[in-house]
Amino acid sequence: MVTRNDVARLAGTSPAVVSYVINNGPKPVSEAARRRVLAAVAELGYRPNAVARSLRARRTWTIGVIASGNTGGTSPFFGQFTRACEEVAWQRGYSVLLGNSAEDPMRAEGYVRRFMEHQVDGLVLMRVPIAPERAEEMRGRVPVVTIDHTAPPHFSRLAVDDEEGGYQATRHLVQHGHRRIGYVGGPLDITPVRLRAIGWRRALRESALLPPGPATSPLTPAEPTAADLRADDLIAEGEFSLEGGYTAALRLLSSAERPTALFASIDTQAIGAMRAAADLGLRVPQDVAVVGFDGAREAAYTVPGLTTISQPIDEMARRATETLVAAIEKENEEPLTEIFSATLITRGSCGCPEPHLRR
């Protein structure tokens, strides 16, 4: 069996340098030495013993990523985030195990338990609720980064400013002259959906355009609950999918006093809402304007192009992965909290000039 010492002799380096090249650290190696080591590895057919390596280092070089998607189709946020997360992990020498909780708390719990049984070095939880007893059990065993607004104090927490994003979207529609603006949302019990609705409502309140119903009274210091928001007749809930956006928008656009603009909690729902408008004989944006949330790449390819609140998805994934790796490698074990800003990207669906993709 070819050993690391054999590779070192052929490459003219020390066994430690061979280890640094194979493990991508922890110490830097010159490009010339790296090329010699890789050439020797290829010539000798050297294959490191991953099990022995893990036992020595007490590490598996794997990260578990659990996303709160669903089987009916979900926000492009999750797919783009996990791809970016995997890219950064690969660059740092880690592999990624991916689980989809399908918005099922029991399934999410099962993935957490299974990944910990496989001794992953860290976990990224994307809007996955964790029972307090499970979170306490994880303390000191495995570092965790959550992509959510709420998390135990010993978890790192990253999130986008959902309320401000909802406010920006609605304020932009108000500036276009709309006075009756509907909200097509996912389940309001989910924190980001509710926060985006609160931002929608804040923009309406500031413009004296509060929708009718019990939830139109001035906000108290406490945030409105999902039940409060459901009382507004300009809010329609639907699944995180094209079909969910389509059916929710149909309910709003078929009403006697239909809205002239819609803000959707994710881009996928917004695209479904645009189809609902077309099926009702309504033109976008002349008869109904539409704004989404996420900044999905697909939003630029609808007709007209979809105006959206863009999350810095790649930046958040990079920050989450680097934070987790730093905790795994004991570089920085202090929990981090970081809230990212969202950006309004204007296209034709709101009535703004339509940018052309051709350069």
Side-chain angles (χ1 to χ4, degrees), residues 5 31 42 142 231 285:
N5 291 339
E31 188 57 34
V142 59

Side-chain angles (χ1 to χ4, degrees), residues 26 57-59 61 92 94 120-122 138-144 321-335:
R58 295 185 179 180
R59 199 184 301 170
W61 283 271
R92 295 296 300 266
Y94 290 81
V120 296
D121 297 323
M138 297 163 72
R139 184 194 294 269
R141 290 186 56 190
V142 59
V144 178
T321 310
E322 290 179 348
T323 297
L324 190 63
V325 170
I328 292 169
E329 299 183 354
K330 313 297 184 184
E331 297 170 358
N332 183 5
E333 299 181 78
E334 288 298 315

Side-chain angles (χ1 to χ4, degrees), residues 8-20:
R9 278 193 294 271
L10 181 59
T13 65
S14 68
V17 170
V18 174
S19 177
Y20 299 153

